[in-house]
Amino acid sequence: MDMAEDRGKPQTSFHEYVSAEGLEEVYKRHGRIDLVPLPSDLPEDPLNWSSLRKNTLLGLVAFHACLGPFSAACAIPSFELFSVEFGVSLTKASYITAAPIVFLGTFPFLWAPISSRIGRRPVYLASMLISAAMQLASAYCTTYGALVACRVLVAIFICPPQSMGASTVSEMFFVHQKGQKMGVWALLVSLGPTIAPLIMGPLVYHTGQWQWTFYLLAIMNFVHFILYFFFCPETLFNRPVRSTNLESADTEPISTAAKWYTPYTSFQIYSREPWSKLPMDIISPLRYISRPTILLPSFANAITFTYTNVLLTVQIPALLGQKYQLNTQQIGLQFIAPFLGALLGEPFAGLGSDRWMQYCVKRAHGKRKVEWRLPFAIPGFLIAIVGLMVLGVRLQNTPSGVWNITPDIGSAIALFGQQIVTTVCTTYAIESQPEHTGQAAILVALIRQTYAFTGPFYFTDQFNAMGIVHACGLLSGLIGFGMCLIFACMMFGKYWREKEASKGPIFKSDSVSVEISKEERSTN
């Protein structure tokens, strides 16, 4: 029977169609067959894992991504202690936080091609174990240079999720779930710099020793290693090609040997690319930076992230601490507001943008265009600007020496908006490159971290020279410029993507890519 012809007949029922296409197992597992990418029938396929298994791993990877900026920001409450112990200025002490930022953005280039060869699980395990050792070494440093070196090494080894996190999400979840799941990952990256001083401020205040910051980090990293060992299965999977007609539906190989523990215990080489090509693979994502659908949303996200998240993380001790004469513990408590702002912003960003996309797809009768997600970012830019201005105006106009909550309200509003921008822009940049999700994720992290790295070197001078309100006004204007970049993607994104697709893959290896690429491109 010709199933293509039969499918067009009105008497063909849904269940007959499912049976004809060999999708009984898919329907049984997921309750639907309109899935992108379409999973295999194999239970070891990450797309077929239980929700508990997927979400547990998502939580671990997202928290791992959080630990990079978290580790960098943990030193903030100890700046004065560093200044006294190492005989350096407060500005130079802040470089202990600033220096790791750029390495968090550049070294994901190294880990992505390594993980594509040997798998995600070995890289995640090695990352946590080596990071724990480097955190412990930081506590025993006796010179400023040694401490900076240890913090840089921590950043190098703790950063794999900045590139692999998006790939891990894509390997476990379907396209219609990406906004929400990427949002969890983006949320914890944003929360890292705000949670760290909140925890470490009281710890340093009550112990009086900055070393306890790194003892705690070493413990956290080692515990995370143990959790990875038991709850981090391998997500790289060679999914067999599914047949699409009844006659060949039984040709898909069915695995009977694989056990539930196979993704935890098996080790294999996933790519036969020679290791001699690793240096070229490391720098190859840079070739995609010229694509506007990656560059513009990444730059818009970097601007907003730097002038809300990084600004508040680095400057709260200088702005609020000196203005209101706060001690180390009190400075740490000022981070409650931005933490709550980001935490409340993520459900609105992740679930909200997914619901918005579903609404747009429904109105378009099933057609899908990734640019439809972008309008959801515009309120985020505006809210971030409002929050930054509230912070600046209230900080300048409140009396010195008497703590006032209104600047904290401004920081909460700013982080709420920034979380919307981060989630939507990151998801769009990755969705716009279905064949190169790994490269897109790396470039998003690189642009964000490189731009953020420069901030701590001029924030203090800028606020001293311009005054708080005028400095916040200038930074708000730059966030507005980032919003204009998103408007450009909304208007020309589809044209740019079609032009990029017409040029074909930049590298020959790109022609054999992720399974979802063709399916996603057909719906975009």
Side-chain angles (χ1 to χ4, degrees), residues 331-343:
I331 288 173
L333 294 176
Q334 304 311 301
F335 288 88
I336 293 176
F339 167 75
L340 291 177
L343 192 64

Side-chain angles (χ1 to χ4, degrees), residues 277-301:
K277 293 183 63 178
L278 182 62
M280 190 62 189
D281 291 341
I282 290 172
I283 64 172
S284 64
L286 291 173
R287 299 287 294 272
Y288 296 93
I289 202 169
S290 61
R291 296 191 170 188
T293 50
I294 296 179
L295 178 63
L296 298 188
S298 299
F299 196 45
N301 174 44

